[in-house]
Amino acid sequence: MGTADSTPLIHACWLSWLAVESADQHEVVRALGLVDVRETAWADGVELIDEVAHDEEEPFSTVVVTPSIQGWTLVVGPYFGLPYARQTAHITDLCRELSAHFGKAQLFFHSEQNDGEAWLIAEGGRILRRWVSECPDLALGEPFGVERRLLDAYGITGKPEDLDPTSDLARDWAATWGDCWATTVAEECSINPTTATAATDSLLVAAAPSFE
């Protein structure tokens, strides 16, 4: 594992990432059609992740690719942000396709600014769950894992997207996100990039393909 000095933890005010169950970083790059790929120091890549998240002009043009971390490759950048309306449908389809190829693929969005949380879990070409806290109408599938356990703890037997948004139960649920962030779901389902380090001190930077 890298040291704390050589591999600072990944973070951003608005952190979006794709997790693919593959130890082959270059195969993931090829599958995504990333271009202009170059290597950069881990610390510089982490700094770039936050810079891109704040880029108001071209936030979807650049991604950062991690090496394999416990059998998963992460691709980080707003390009993979479920709450961004122009990206949602495209990356949902992309994640489904990647899960058909690699077995498992997941999308996550975590905000340090209390702007919501989102995740999509896909396996074998099928979406198990998509949840975007700020847009419940985008939900797909059934809650499971930590989300299901937390719903049960609040006495919610169904799905949060079916709650009356004006109800006390919905308000109680909306206050739970400190217990069920995207990073919490990622910790359980794949890799939480805000706590993970790798056995190398380098990352890849690449240009994401346009889909418009």
Side-chain angles (χ1 to χ4, degrees):
M1 303 292 286
T3 66
D5 290 336
S6 64
T7 56
L9 298 177
I10 292 172
H11 72 92
C13 292
W14 303 278
L15 185 62
S16 307
W17 72 98
L18 164 73
V20 179
E21 191 179 40
S22 173
D24 191 335
Q25 180 192 51
H26 296 291
E27 175 61 20
V28 173
V29 167
R30 284 192 293 271
L32 289 170
L34 303 181
V35 297
D36 299 331
V37 181
R38 62 180 175 84
E39 190 172 294
T40 190
W42 184 288
D44 293 337
V46 169
E47 185 176 345
L48 179 62
I49 286 169
D50 197 41
E51 289 176 3
V52 172
H54 286 87
D55 187 341
E56 297 182 0
E57 295 184 1
E58 295 185 324
F60 308 120
S61 61
T62 302
V63 296
V64 174
V65 187
T66 73
S68 172
I69 303 175
Q70 298 175 37
W72 291 81
T73 297
L74 309 184
V75 191
V76 187
Y79 186 90
F80 295 106
L82 283 165
Y84 302 117
R86 61 174 283 185
Q87 301 297 105
T88 308
H90 166 66
I91 62 172
T92 293
D93 290 342
L94 177 60
C95 194
R96 183 192 292 111
E97 293 167 4
L98 289 169
S99 77
H101 180 73
F102 291 100
K104 295 181 181 180
Q106 304 168 1
L107 294 166
F108 299 95
F109 170 83
H110 169 62
S111 171
E112 294 182 354
Q113 308 300 315
N114 296 318
D115 293 327
E117 303 289 320
W119 54 83
L120 185 152
I121 310 297
E123 293 187 11
R126 185 168 65 95
I127 294 173
L128 304 183
R129 178 62 167 161
R130 182 175 71 184
W131 172 251
V132 183
S133 64
E134 301 304 290
C135 302
D137 58 305
L138 294 177
L140 296 171
E142 297 290 332
F144 70 94
V146 63
E147 183 189 6
R148 181 70 265 165
R149 294 194 299 274
L150 192 58
L151 286 164
D152 291 343
Y154 273 77
I156 301 171
T157 57
K159 298 184 284 188
E161 57 265 34
D162 295 333
L163 294 174
D164 177 351
T166 65
S167 68
D168 290 341
L169 201 54
R171 284 192 290 270
D172 287 345
W173 172 246
T176 67
W177 292 107
D179 298 312
C180 192
W181 286 348
T183 48
T184 312
V185 178
E187 191 84 49
E188 183 173 84
C189 293
S190 53
I191 296 293
N192 176 1
T194 69
T195 60
T197 58
T200 177
D201 62 356
S202 64
L203 296 165
L204 298 180
V205 177
S210 173
F211 58 90
E212 297 179 333

